Amino acid sequence: MSDDKKFKNYLLVFSVLLFLYSLTQKCYCTTSSCADSIMVMLLGWAALFSSLAGIAWIANPLLFASWWLLKKKLKRSMILSIFSTTLSLSFLMFDNIIDNEAGHHNKIIEYKAGYWLWLCSSLSMALGTSVLLLKQKNRKPG
């Protein structure tokens, strides 16, 4: 197995494990409660219709597509992982979020390990795929 294939395998496993571990953690706290990452991941799509902060949830399908494309379409995988990272980071821009079924907005007061692990999952893909593309560009034909 080539070094690039090994690196892709390690990168994929690392990113997926970070993501899965993030789902076992709290992701953020508001003035009323702390959110479980698994619930935010499963139900976060609904926030797209009720809150601008919900746009960060789109990072999930972009990250999943990045994983899917890693072996065959490296450049597309990198682009998707960069967008995923950017959207994950965008969550830091919002002060309030709807965090209950009644639609009440509460102030975000803390970001927990689940958020940071989720962000690192996308960031590791973005950095790893960028390194792989740079290696491919710098490789001499022959």
Side-chain angles (χ1 to χ4, degrees), residues 35-77:
D36 292 317
S37 295
I38 186 76
M39 294 308 294
V40 171
M41 203 283 287
L42 293 174
L43 302 174
W45 61 269
L48 290 170
F49 306 108
S50 59
S51 169
L52 193 55
I55 198 156
W57 184 86
I58 296 172
N60 291 316
L62 293 176
L63 179 59
F64 302 157
S66 175
W67 293 340
W68 181 262
L69 294 172
L70 178 62
K71 305 269 173 129
K72 301 282 183 193
K73 309 261 185 194
L74 182 59
K75 189 172 184 175
R76 287 185 187 168
S77 178

Side-chain angles (χ1 to χ4, degrees), residues 42-129:
L42 293 174
L43 302 174
W45 61 269
L48 290 170
F49 306 108
S50 59
S51 169
L52 193 55
I55 198 156
W57 184 86
I58 296 172
N60 291 316
L62 293 176
L63 179 59
F64 302 157
S66 175
W67 293 340
W68 181 262
L69 294 172
L70 178 62
K71 305 269 173 129
K72 301 282 183 193
K73 309 261 185 194
L74 182 59
K75 189 172 184 175
R76 287 185 187 168
S77 178
M78 181 195 69
I79 291 167
L80 290 173
S81 63
I82 289 171
F83 284 140
S84 176
T85 302
T86 303
L87 285 172
S88 297
L89 283 168
S90 77
F91 189 69
L92 295 171
M93 295 175 17
F94 300 98
D95 296 330
N96 295 298
I97 192 161
I98 295 174
D99 69 346
N100 60 33
E101 296 81 20
H104 296 117
H105 283 80
N106 289 303
K107 183 173 177 58
I108 298 170
I109 57 172
E110 183 179 9
Y111 299 95
K112 302 294 257 177
Y115 169 77
W116 299 111
L117 290 164
W118 174 62
L119 173 63
C120 287
S121 178
S122 291
L123 185 60
S124 65
M125 280 298 291
L127 294 174
T129 52

Side-chain angles (χ1 to χ4, degrees), residues 136-142:
Q136 283 182 2
K137 270 191 168 182
N138 292 331
R139 214 174 270 138
K140 294 185 182 190

